[in-house]
Amino acid sequence: MLKRSLYEELLFRWQHFPATCILGLRQVGKTSLVQQLVQEQEGRFIYLDMENPEDAIKLASPVLFLKAQDEKTVVIDEVQRMPELFPILRSMIDLKRVPGRFILLGSAAPDIYKETAESLAGRISYLHLYPFILPETGGDWKKLWIRGGMPNAYLEENDKARRIWFNDFIQTYFQKDLPQLGLPANPMLVYRLFQMLAATHANLLNVQSLSKSLQLSHTTLSRYLFFLENAFLITRLQPYSTNLPKRLVKTPKCYLADSGLVHNLLQLNSFEQVMGHPVAGFTFEGMVFQQLRTLLENDVSIYFYRTHDGAELDFVLERGGKIILAIDAKLSNTPTISRGCTIALQDLGNPPMLVVTPEAKEFFLREGIEVCSVSTLQEALWRHLPSS
């Protein structure tokens, strides 16, 4: 079991808040993360999985059951399947408001945020678990890039077994999970949309082209994208907007949750196949995005910057209303800086910049522009972004 970087934060939240909610994609490792805490705090936890009928029936009389466990932390997995629990959890916390009463795990953001905001406001802390990043896996960037960071896929050494796992994972999401979340659509149609998003991974989200290809209205397509995003399958990265007299791109970029998921959907099963495909640079950019989401502190926001004149930066990081760092991902160990990148930096007041490559040693391309590898990105961020 690989120790997740979120573990120490989970331990802190458990020690200071009555309830902690861990959100994330299915099979991303939420249960395994909590099991690490359970093993270190032996005898102090009760684990319930709401997809297990034997566990669900224990909560047929939830007040009676939970009162009997008030000396332990109750872990409730897939908690969104029993929304009627949330008001009861609030009353249990109010009767005995101490840290570590409940840990909730969920894979459906809208339901959980809505229910907890109404019932557990001021009593609950949220954590988001993403797929593996390089500091968690030992630093083999090629392996993580090709396989992705979903634990079962990353740890599976057999290529055929890994492909089967991905196919089963995707089928379960589209045949079972999304309909249960309330998505009113033919699962095969939503799957086709997902494949199209994989082919345009890390690009601007072209809603007009997608709706035309799928023969869907913009309203219907937007609803499908909402469900995909709130099931943690995609992320729409918003463009950075300024008061500059520039014509800025206002369309978000769309990233699938994991590079391995993209490669599987496009039937790219090896390093050589990925490198020979036009999507390679984009999935490398997506891998860098995956690292940033986990490594950045909560007070740092991620955007991208692009103008209609061609000035662009893959990522810009904002803290306190100010751009503090620009980042570009380059699938090359001998990167160069384009004119569009230089103009974008000037537009934003010439913040420091990191150019993230597969394996290049640290050096400066020019003043204020540092090259690093994806494996040393964490250390580079520590140098440029002191803790707030």
Side-chain angles (χ1 to χ4, degrees), residues 21-58:
C21 182
I22 306 173
L23 296 166
L25 190 66
R26 263 188 175 278
Q27 301 292 316
V28 79
K30 299 185 294 293
T31 302
S32 297
L33 173 64
V34 173
Q35 285 175 348
Q36 294 176 12
L37 184 61
V38 170
Q39 290 172 2
E40 290 195 4
Q41 308 288 335
E42 188 174 355
R44 299 183 63 179
F45 289 80
I46 296 291
Y47 174 81
L48 302 172
D49 183 354
M50 293 302 94
E51 292 191 329
N52 183 337
E54 293 182 4
D55 285 347
I57 203 169
K58 293 175 183 177

Side-chain angles (χ1 to χ4, degrees), residues 56-313:
I57 203 169
K58 293 175 183 177
L59 292 176
S61 300
V63 174
L64 186 64
F65 180 85
L66 294 174
K67 278 186 176 179
Q69 310 299 332
D70 67 354
E71 296 299 321
K72 296 183 178 181
T73 297
V74 179
V75 180
I76 305 176
D77 205 345
E78 296 299 334
V79 67
Q80 73 274 359
R81 298 196 180 279
M82 290 190 70
E84 65 273 16
L85 279 179
F86 292 107
I88 297 168
L89 298 181
R90 180 192 63 193
S91 66
M92 294 291 101
I93 290 171
D94 289 346
L95 285 172
K96 186 178 181 180
R97 195 182 179 99
V98 296
R101 291 296 311 276
F102 301 100
I103 295 178
L104 312 178
L105 312 181
S107 54
D111 292 347
I112 292 177
Y113 280 133
K114 178 177 182 294
E115 296 294 342
T116 55
E118 293 175 355
S119 302
L120 295 174
R123 304 167 181 86
I124 191 166
S125 174
Y126 299 96
L127 291 172
H128 197 140
L129 184 65
Y130 296 106
F132 283 147
I133 60 172
L134 278 168
E136 296 171 332
T137 62
D140 186 341
W141 74 272
K142 289 182 183 179
K143 180 178 176 180
L144 183 64
W145 181 38
I146 302 305
R147 297 184 182 184
M150 298 298 291
N152 288 333
Y154 178 83
L155 296 171
E156 178 55 67
E157 296 298 332
N158 185 281
D159 291 344
K160 180 179 178 180
R162 191 182 319 112
R163 290 194 296 272
I164 291 172
W165 182 85
F166 266 123
N167 292 337
D168 290 345
F169 171 81
I170 293 168
Q171 182 176 353
T172 298
Y173 246 113
F174 287 93
Q175 296 290 341
K176 177 185 173 185
D177 293 337
L178 290 175
Q180 286 183 345
L181 289 176
L183 179 59
N186 182 328
M188 288 307 300
L189 182 62
V190 186
Y191 176 70
R192 282 178 55 205
L193 167 61
F194 199 51
Q195 283 184 308
M196 292 179 181
L197 294 174
T200 57
H201 177 70
N203 280 277
L204 296 179
L205 182 61
N206 192 330
V207 172
Q208 183 175 359
S209 175
L210 290 171
S211 47
K212 182 178 180 181
S213 297
L214 295 169
Q215 297 183 332
L216 294 172
S217 70
H218 283 206
T219 301
T220 300
L221 179 62
S222 296
R223 186 164 66 249
Y224 292 178
L225 291 170
F226 171 84
F227 274 92
L228 291 176
E229 187 162 33
N230 287 284
F232 307 109
L233 286 164
I234 65 170
T235 298
R236 283 179 278 191
L237 182 65
Q238 298 300 320
Y240 183 71
S241 59
T242 72
N243 294 324
L244 295 170
K246 294 265 186 175
R247 292 181 62 242
L248 300 178
V249 168
K250 298 181 180 180
T251 303
K253 291 202 291 188
C254 185
Y255 295 87
L256 268 63
D258 178 65
S259 61
L261 192 56
V262 178
H263 295 153
N264 179 266
L265 286 163
L266 300 179
Q267 299 181 7
L268 304 173
N269 302 310
S270 69
F271 180 77
E272 292 73 22
Q273 288 178 339
V274 174
M275 287 296 291
H277 196 280
V279 80
F282 296 109
T283 65
F284 182 76
E285 177 187 325
M287 179 187 177
V288 173
F289 180 56
Q290 289 170 231
Q291 313 300 299
L292 292 173
R293 289 186 305 181
T294 297
L295 293 172
L296 293 176
E297 296 186 8
N298 291 333
D299 64 343
V300 178
S301 299
I302 313 176
Y303 302 94
F304 73 95
Y305 181 83
R306 185 177 298 185
T307 71
H308 285 282
D309 296 329
E312 64 176 308
L313 293 163

Side-chain angles (χ1 to χ4, degrees), residues 134 360-362 371-381 383:
L134 278 168
K361 301 294 184 181
E362 287 81 359
V371 173
C372 71
S373 70
V374 67
S375 299
T376 58
L377 175 60
Q378 183 177 40
E379 290 79 8
L381 289 172
R383 290 196 299 273

Side-chain angles (χ1 to χ4, degrees), residues 319-339:
R319 175 189 273 162
K322 180 182 178 182
I323 296 298
I324 52 177
L325 187 65
I327 296 176
D328 239 30
K330 301 288 189 183
L331 187 57
S332 168
N333 289 323
T334 56
T336 58
I337 298 299
S338 68
R339 181 174 180 273

